[in-house]
Amino acid sequence: MTAEAEGLRGLLAISRAITGASAYEEVVDLVVQKACGLLRASCAFLLLGASGAEASVVASVGLPSHLASTLRGVLDERIEATLRAALGLAADERILSVPMIVRGNLQGLLVVIGFAELPGIDDAQREFLVSALADQAAIAVGNARHVRELEEALAWLRTVIETSPVAILLIEGASGRRVVANRGAEALFGHPFARDAGVSQYAEQLRASDGTPLPLEELPAFAAMRGGSVDRELLVRREDGTSVPVLARAAAIRDDRGEILGGVVLYEDISLLKGLERMREEWTSIVAHDLRTPLNEIALRAQLLERRASNEEVVHGAQRIRATSHRLNRMVNDLLDVSLIESHHLSLVRRPCDVATVLGDIVEHSAVVVRGHDVDIVVPAGLPAIDVDPGRLEQVIVNLLTNAVKYGAPGTPIQLRASAKGDMVEIVVRNLGPGMAPETAATLFERFRRGADGSRKEGLGLGLYIAKGIVEAHGGTIWADDSTPGEATELHLTVPVAAGERASAHVS
């Protein structure tokens, strides 16, 4: 066998040994050891780093430890001169440095020093063998580094998941046959999780926010594995009978092709938040109720004073007191409504209502609100009846009319029109005036939003927020259409059609 063939056979054995190693440290150590053995060299080391960047020694054989820990060099055309100077090599002492390249990118250098003359192997063949070794080493080192980085990332991720205060469930497979739970999930549900026991081991503990059992198909895990996302409040019922309010979030886990591999579900204990919410609701309710009694007393006394007073100035003062107490009473009612809406306790007394009739009644009752403005009601014939609480719908429409009066041009007409939209009826309040900017329309129905024109108007800024809550409690939506600045503004809402009712069926 020729020396060249012997060298290639040795290279093949080295390549197999290197590619068979898995740990990063094992791979880099093998590379320098085999390089020394292949060339019968006294020293070999690996410098790893990107092109143009500083590289450092990651493994070495025959290199003094103080040099192995301090040797540095920028991977450019001057690297060999840098190494000779750092190692104190004489000009005639041979050094072989071969680049390690993967997918066209420089990963580092394999450096061999003090190699012996091999019978039948010239300089070109020697460089070829080391280059081939460097190529194999580059791939193996890159793979080992990738594996190490992946293992470190997985270890970090595993630590984050395990120590997270949020309950985390990882669902494997579309059927939910395997479940991996962190410590937070075991603490929340009150028992350990078996990986192969599937979703069924905790499914019966999940309840809707009102305490009713949750159907299997509505479990967040299955919703996620169908490709949907979940963000809703639920209850987790424990073995001792207590229930924990949670915010459940779920999403599908997909591969690179978009195929669903499983799902991840987060359950966050919101007991503290719910407690604070109850305290706020109770405080709002208590304050509102306690304010009503003195306000009613003030209004009653002012009314008596107005009737009995003979002095015009006193009568005027009593009227101002009554008007002010009336405004305060409206604010108290708004606070109570906000409390009911946010606690999901807003009650509705719904019945089928004829649209034209209910809108006409509302406008008639709102004569004081729309004083100075003509209200044009447009309701097409044959419009279906709507399933609403007429008192609450009146509250919504009055708020929209009040808004139209506040921000519309004085004395201009207001249009109130309705039309069928599938299973819903859309009601629109349109006023002429300065209009509103798109950014104002986007926040119009938020709490304490006052003065769409930047001015401070009377009230707490809760009217449209309450209107939104009432409409959504009916199953409808409310929004501000793109208004034309300087021309008009439209506010829209939808309410459901009454089952089996037509516009000709008037409410008795």
Side-chain angles (χ1 to χ4, degrees):
M1 182 179 292
T2 65
E4 183 178 359
E6 183 68 27
L8 290 174
R9 193 172 75 168
L11 178 62
L12 178 60
I14 291 171
S15 298
R16 286 173 177 170
I18 292 174
T19 55
S22 57
Y24 174 77
E25 291 78 9
E26 182 184 359
V27 170
V28 294
D29 285 341
L30 267 176
V31 169
V32 293
Q33 291 170 15
K34 297 301 183 181
C36 275
L38 183 66
L39 298 185
R40 299 176 190 173
S42 61
C43 176
F45 57 88
L46 273 178
L47 277 173
L48 292 190
S51 177
E54 187 177 71
S56 59
V57 176
V58 297
S60 66
V61 171
L63 188 67
S65 59
H66 70 281
L67 285 175
S69 60
T70 59
L71 187 60
R72 300 284 189 278
V74 176
L75 297 184
D76 56 20
E77 67 277 1
R78 296 168 297 177
I79 185 61
E80 187 168 320
T82 301
L83 293 177
R84 281 185 176 276
L87 297 171
L89 298 178
D92 60 347
E93 193 165 357
R94 292 187 296 179
I95 178 172
L96 185 59
S97 58
V98 180
M100 298 170 57
I101 299 174
V102 177
R103 300 185 187 92
N105 296 318
L106 181 65
Q107 303 293 315
L109 287 181
L110 173 58
V111 182
V112 184
I113 302 171
F115 45 87
E117 291 290 343
L118 299 176
I121 300 292
D122 58 20
D123 288 345
Q125 291 168 334
R126 183 185 298 109
E127 186 168 348
F128 167 76
L129 290 175
V130 177
S131 296
L133 174 59
D135 289 341
Q136 289 294 320
I139 295 171
V141 169
N143 290 340
R145 179 190 290 173
H146 178 70
V147 170
R148 186 178 68 174
E149 291 173 352
L150 183 59
E151 288 175 346
E152 289 173 352
L154 288 174
W156 177 84
L157 180 60
R158 190 179 297 111
T159 301
V160 170
I161 291 174
E162 194 60 33
T163 60
S164 172
V166 177
I168 302 176
L169 297 177
L170 300 177
I171 317 298
E172 299 178 22
S175 63
R177 63 185 181 277
R178 290 184 177 178
V179 176
V180 177
N182 69 343
R183 288 198 293 264
E186 294 181 346
L188 175 65
F189 286 89
H191 59 78
F193 280 72
R195 179 168 181 166
D196 295 324
V199 172
S200 59
Q201 63 190 304
Y202 70 91
E204 293 184 359
Q205 291 182 260
L206 288 176
R207 298 284 190 275
S209 57
D210 60 1
T212 58
L214 203 63
L216 197 61
E217 65 273 11
E218 292 186 20
L219 290 179
F222 289 127
M225 288 184 290
R226 289 195 298 269
S229 60
V230 177
D231 189 353
R232 62 180 294 192
E233 287 185 20
L234 296 173
L235 292 176
V236 172
R237 190 164 183 81
R238 290 175 166 159
E239 292 179 358
D240 60 3
T242 60
S243 294
V244 181
V246 296
L247 181 61
R249 292 188 175 95
I253 300 174
R254 300 176 183 270
D255 61 17
D256 295 339
R257 297 171 297 176
E259 297 293 328
I260 296 176
L261 303 177
V264 57
V265 188
L266 308 182
Y267 293 101
E268 184 177 1
D269 185 345
I270 55 173
S271 300
L272 180 59
L273 182 62
K274 284 295 183 180
L276 292 173
E277 186 178 285
R278 281 193 300 272
M279 289 174 62
R280 179 175 61 82
E281 292 163 2
E282 290 170 1
W283 179 86
T284 303
S285 181
I286 290 170
V287 170
H289 279 101
D290 287 351
L291 281 174
R292 274 181 165 174
T293 299
L295 284 175
N296 290 335
E297 181 69 16
I298 291 170
L300 179 61
R301 295 293 180 180
Q303 186 177 13
L304 291 174
L305 181 61
E306 181 184 353
R307 288 179 180 177
R308 295 177 181 178
S310 55
N311 185 296
E312 185 176 341
E313 185 176 351
V314 174
V315 171
H316 180 68
Q319 290 173 342
R320 291 289 301 275
I321 292 171
R322 284 182 62 197
T324 300
S325 64
H326 181 63
R327 286 199 300 273
L328 286 173
N329 212 20
R330 286 205 308 271
M331 291 180 187
V332 169
N333 290 334
D334 284 349
L335 288 173
L336 283 173
D337 282 341
V338 168
S339 178
L340 291 173
I341 288 170
E342 294 186 346
S343 62
H344 307 290
H345 292 151
L346 183 70
S347 60
L348 299 175
V349 182
R350 302 169 71 156
R351 58 186 176 86
C353 295
D354 176 68
V355 178
T357 301
V358 76
L359 293 184
D361 291 343
I362 291 171
V363 171
E364 183 180 344
H365 299 159
S366 306
V368 175
V369 172
V370 297
R371 183 178 297 168
H373 296 262
D374 291 332
V375 179
D376 183 21
I377 301 175
V378 179
V379 178
L383 196 65
I386 51 179
D387 179 31
V388 295
D389 179 330
R392 287 296 187 181
L393 180 62
E394 179 171 337
Q395 187 177 352
V396 172
I397 301 297
V398 169
N399 265 314
L400 301 188
L401 291 173
T402 301
N403 189 79
V405 171
K406 280 183 181 180
Y407 303 108
T412 56
I414 298 171
Q415 187 182 73
L416 186 59
R417 68 177 188 269
S419 59
K421 300 291 181 183
D423 292 335
M424 309 294 283
V425 167
E426 181 179 346
I427 300 172
V428 182
V429 177
R430 184 177 191 272
N431 68 277
L432 304 177
M436 70 177 80
E439 57 270 20
T440 301
T443 61
L444 192 62
F445 297 94
E446 294 179 359
R447 284 184 300 177
F448 308 116
R449 181 63 57 179
R450 299 174 62 180
D453 59 358
S455 63
R456 290 180 61 84
K457 302 291 184 179
E458 179 185 299
L460 293 174
L462 292 173
L464 293 180
Y465 176 76
I466 292 169
K468 178 175 181 286
I470 293 172
V471 170
E472 289 179 348
H474 279 87
T477 55
I478 189 169
W479 70 96
D481 204 359
D482 295 336
S483 66
T484 306
E487 293 185 16
T489 297
E490 290 187 352
L491 300 182
H492 302 242
L493 67 96
T494 59
V495 289
V497 170
E501 295 290 332
R502 300 301 297 173
S504 58
H506 291 263
V507 178
S508 59

